[in-house]
Amino acid sequence: MLWILFEHPYLRRNSIKAARDWDRHSAKLWDAANLIEPIGMLLGFTSVGHIQTAPNIIGSFGLLLLGRES
């Protein structure tokens, strides 16, 4: 609540305008990814392309790599 009380008047007084549009249509890439997402979900639920490993080596390796990142 304090942030709103102090920040809102400041932003109204000092409006910052971008010098140039730097986006270059990145939203189109995001839209394409969102269109492809249901296909990946469908393939995941139907087990198409599922890799069969004995004690889930790939998942364990992925968790090991995640643990090393932090």
Side-chain angles (χ1 to χ4, degrees):
M1 190 66 171
L2 286 173
W3 179 81
I4 292 172
L5 288 174
F6 288 106
E7 191 71 17
H8 185 67
Y10 174 79
L11 290 176
R12 290 189 69 164
R13 280 192 315 268
N14 304 319
S15 63
I16 299 171
K17 302 213 182 344
R20 187 173 155 189
D21 184 19
W22 293 96
D23 186 15
R24 301 203 192 265
H25 310 291
S26 64
K28 290 180 183 177
L29 180 63
W30 187 256
D31 290 340
N34 284 333
L35 287 174
I36 295 171
E37 183 180 3
I39 296 169
M41 291 175 64
L42 180 66
L43 292 176
F45 286 128
T46 59
S47 297
V48 173
H50 184 72
I51 299 173
Q52 297 292 331
T53 57
N56 199 1
I57 295 168
I58 295 173
S60 300
F61 185 66
L63 286 174
L64 177 72
L65 290 176
L66 283 172
R68 297 188 62 125
E69 289 292 322
S70 51

